[in-house]
Amino acid sequence: MWLFVVAALTGLFLLRRWHRERQTVPGLPEKFVLITGCDSGFGNALARALDARGLRVLAACLGERGAAELRAAASPRLQTVLLDVTSSRSVAAAAAWVRERVGERGLWGLVNNAGIAVPTAPNEWLSKADFAKVLDVNLLGLIEVTLSLLPLVRRAQGRVVNVSSMMGRVSFVGGGYCVSKFGVEAFSDSLRLEMRDFGVKVSVIEPGSFRTQIVNKENMENSLISAWERLPEETKASYGEKYLKEFLAVMRKAQKSCSPDLRLVTSCMEHALTSRCPRSRYSAGWDAKLFFIPLSYLPSALTDVLLSWSRPKPASRA
């Protein structure tokens, strides 16, 4: 009897949530959305998708080439701006550019998508500067862009959508990427609480493994080999050449398993921007839903065993 009641209540809850989440906000063609990192990948795909739906897309690109290609593929509504999220001067200039375009209507959506993943390597192989390079883009850049544009988002009672990762829940590779994504999760949580009373909703996108430029095979491998070559001979001896080769093999295998269907991610971003009732968190990809999220709730002793299964073993083990 109790099982039936629980199942019925769960079903009603899910049905109610499904109904509420299907309702879209009115006046989408009049709403401005700024997306960072639109040169390629998720940002580029989202800019095109929102443009096709009639929204006023403001696409921030790092380079002019990416901006030109995006403009050529979109409608005249879409506008681009060059933005380096690691430069305070660039962020300030982009914020002023956005302010001129949105006027009193404010900025309905801010999508913090720009990010990098290299250098990625065992932590001991890296320097403080290696960590800072990733943190400057993925976390500090995201924070500065958000703070610069938050008054415009508040004016529109709009949305902030921050792109994190499953590696913001489970950290299993060295370098600044996982560190930055844990930071994105923390910043987004505090911002979501602070913005509730202003009518601003904050969502986090947590993709699994997807085939974008951020995991470019050549860049990842060159970064790893470069970190190895800088190591002192004593450290190299502790890990061994075999460790490097096996690490590269694991990296290549992981890259092959990345999904090419970016729509799984951009549809979550779209929902966060256009639904009357967006979610606080969106997981994208079957690996995220069926492996990483369950893994994040397991005891650390068990996750350590599971994640160590396929990792290379150093030459000098205790």
Side-chain angles (χ1 to χ4, degrees):
M1 177 65 179
W2 284 108
L3 287 176
F4 175 77
V5 172
V6 170
L9 290 175
T10 301
L12 288 173
F13 168 77
L14 293 174
L15 183 63
R16 179 176 178 271
R17 188 176 77 165
W18 173 80
H19 174 70
R20 293 181 69 201
E21 289 184 346
R22 287 193 64 197
Q23 300 177 44
T24 58
V25 295
L28 288 179
E30 300 304 317
K31 296 189 183 300
F32 286 88
V33 177
L34 175 73
I35 310 165
T36 67
C38 291
D39 301 78
S40 62
F42 300 138
N44 188 280
L46 178 64
R48 297 187 192 203
L50 294 181
D51 179 61
R53 291 188 66 171
L55 279 81
R56 298 176 180 269
V57 177
L58 306 175
C61 299
L62 181 60
E64 179 54 46
R65 178 179 177 181
E69 290 176 353
L70 180 56
R71 287 195 301 270
S75 76
R77 283 189 309 273
L78 183 143
Q79 301 178 66
T80 61
V81 61
L82 297 184
L83 172 62
D84 177 358
V85 299
T86 67
S87 166
S88 294
R89 180 177 296 181
S90 179
V91 171
W97 179 86
V98 172
R99 199 174 297 114
E100 290 177 0
R101 276 144 188 82
V102 303
E104 292 303 314
R105 282 174 290 189
L107 182 64
W108 171 255
L110 167 61
V111 182
N112 284 304
N113 166 74
I116 61 173
V118 295
T120 294
N123 288 310
E124 191 178 7
W125 298 14
L126 300 171
S127 66
K128 177 183 175 181
D130 291 325
F131 282 85
K133 180 181 178 182
V134 180
L135 290 169
D136 279 348
V137 178
N138 295 4
L139 181 57
L140 299 179
L142 177 150
I143 290 172
E144 185 168 21
V145 169
T146 302
L147 298 181
S148 298
L149 293 169
L150 205 51
L152 295 177
V153 179
R154 281 196 290 103
R155 185 181 299 171
Q157 294 188 327
R159 309 287 169 81
V160 177
V161 180
N162 292 331
V163 180
S164 179
S165 167
M166 278 298 110
M167 293 188 191
R169 284 178 176 254
V170 181
S171 180
F172 58 91
V173 294
Y177 187 76
C178 293
V179 178
S180 69
K181 294 305 182 181
F182 268 77
V184 169
E185 298 274 348
F187 175 68
S188 300
D189 282 347
S190 61
L191 187 67
R192 185 178 65 252
L193 293 172
E194 293 166 354
M195 290 294 107
R196 282 174 63 95
D197 292 333
F198 293 106
V200 173
K201 294 180 170 61
V202 180
S203 298
V204 179
I205 312 296
E206 300 172 330
S209 302
F210 287 86
R211 197 170 300 159
T212 65
Q213 194 61 30
I214 199 172
V215 290
N216 177 275
K217 178 182 176 183
E218 184 178 349
N219 291 343
M220 296 285 283
E221 292 187 8
N222 288 343
S223 171
L224 181 68
I225 293 170
S226 176
W228 168 263
E229 291 175 345
R230 296 197 312 261
L231 291 177
E233 290 303 321
E234 180 184 355
T235 307
K236 285 184 178 180
S238 296
Y239 284 89
E241 290 277 355
K242 184 180 178 183
Y243 187 98
L244 172 64
K245 293 177 182 178
E246 291 180 354
F247 200 106
L248 284 167
V250 170
M251 187 181 289
R252 289 164 186 156
K253 185 177 180 180
Q255 288 167 338
K256 287 181 180 178
S257 67
C258 291
S259 170
D261 188 4
L262 305 189
R263 180 66 186 167
L264 295 174
V265 179
T266 58
S267 62
C268 294
M269 296 173 171
E270 282 189 59
H271 189 272
L273 291 166
T274 62
S275 172
R276 283 183 178 271
C277 300
R279 300 182 185 181
S280 297
R281 278 178 168 78
Y282 294 82
S283 58
W286 290 112
D287 57 340
K289 298 176 187 294
L290 301 181
F291 181 69
F292 288 112
I293 289 180
L295 192 68
S296 69
Y297 290 104
L298 294 178
S300 296
L302 185 52
T303 61
D304 287 353
V305 171
L306 293 172
L307 293 174
S308 297
W309 212 301
S310 61
R311 293 178 69 89
K313 307 302 179 187
S316 301
R317 282 192 284 171

